[in-house]
Amino acid sequence: MADVAVLGMGNMGAAVARALLADGRSVLVWNRTATRCEPLANEGAEVAPTPTSAILGAPVVIASVLDYRALKNAMADQLDLTERTVINLTWGTTDEARELAELVSTRGGRYVEGGVLCRPEAIGHPEGDILYSGPTGSIEEVRSLLASLGPIHYVGSDLAQANALALALGSIFYASVLSFLEAVAYADRLGISADVMAPLVRIPLGLAGSTIDASVDQIERQDFIGSEASNAVHSAALASVAQAFTAADIEHRLTDAVSSYFDSAAQLGLSHLEVGALLRIMSRTAAEFNAT
Ligand SMILES: NC(=O)c1ccc[n+]([C@@H]2O[C@H](COP(=O)([O-])OP(=O)(O)OC[C@H]3O[C@@H](n4cnc5c(N)ncnc54)[C@H](OP(=O)(O)O)[C@@H]3O)[C@@H](O)[C@H]2O)c1
């Protein structure tokens, strides 16, 4: 028996297997396309020919494949998972996470849900942030293994919690990076290169951080009156951004989407409030949206 099996030798799965090997674990790896296991075999991993042999070959199975459909296929054999823990690092919806947890549990196994919030290169390092949820007993059983991957952010026993939080926080990641790319396109059109702008990016990110902190405080107090910047001010500033991006003839769908929120804020009488008040717009149900 190996210490741990890793299903999926893509960028993330390979990084996970590598970090475990680096910590002295015996690692069994499987990948649909077998050639992708070769680098890990050269680094000391054992290769399993099938997902079933990988699952049966270790008490702990870490899965990192493209999506839940791929993982369900890999786990299609009706195996007895008694005394086994499946740690799922594959991204998917919370319903998919619950379904998979149910599948593992009906076969007698323990299930830990993981939400990866880092790049593969960070795995095994202090920036290797992964959220975990599941019964505390199951987490404790595998705590030392998880520590090989990076900080353990345990977010609760409701197994879908890590998944839901990773999706929520992941949305911040995607919007931030695409917003940066819109800005690069604009600056580039004006002859300013990305390497001039890149070191300055920490300024708006820091500003976003402090505005988020202030919004959290305002949301807790449900009081959005402040003395920093009103939505009217944000809206006017953003209109200048959109105008400049339009004049430069670049794609700026994200900026337009953000502008549309401020337009809604004006329609709903939220212009005098600070930006956290826009949460009222995001929180509307479809029925409430249609009624406004
Ligand atoms: N990369 C990141 O920065 C990052 C960050 C956070 C979370 N994640 C999550 O980590 C998971 C893996 O991502 P990755 O970056 O490692 O992706 P990747 O490099 O594209 O690798 C995808 C993996 O999924 C396997 N796969 C795809 N379809 C399959 C199928 N139908 N049956 C069996 N295996 C299948 C691939 O096998 P083949 O080699 O045979 O195609 C490969 O092992 C994803 O859920 C991703 O959202 C990734």
Side-chain angles (χ1 to χ4, degrees), residues 7-15 30-37 51 63-74 88-92 114-121 123 129 173-174:
L7 305 181
M9 283 300 107
N11 293 328
M12 189 53 76
W30 170 80
N31 195 62
R32 178 182 61 173
T33 308
T35 47
R36 283 183 97 174
C37 291
S64 178
V65 289
L66 180 67
D67 54 22
Y68 277 79
R69 191 190 303 187
L71 186 51
K72 272 173 69 181
N73 282 345
N88 180 32
L89 303 184
T90 304
W91 267 54
V116 180
L117 286 175
C118 66
R119 289 157 61 85
E121 65 184 5
I123 294 287
D129 294 304
F173 159 77
Y174 285 112

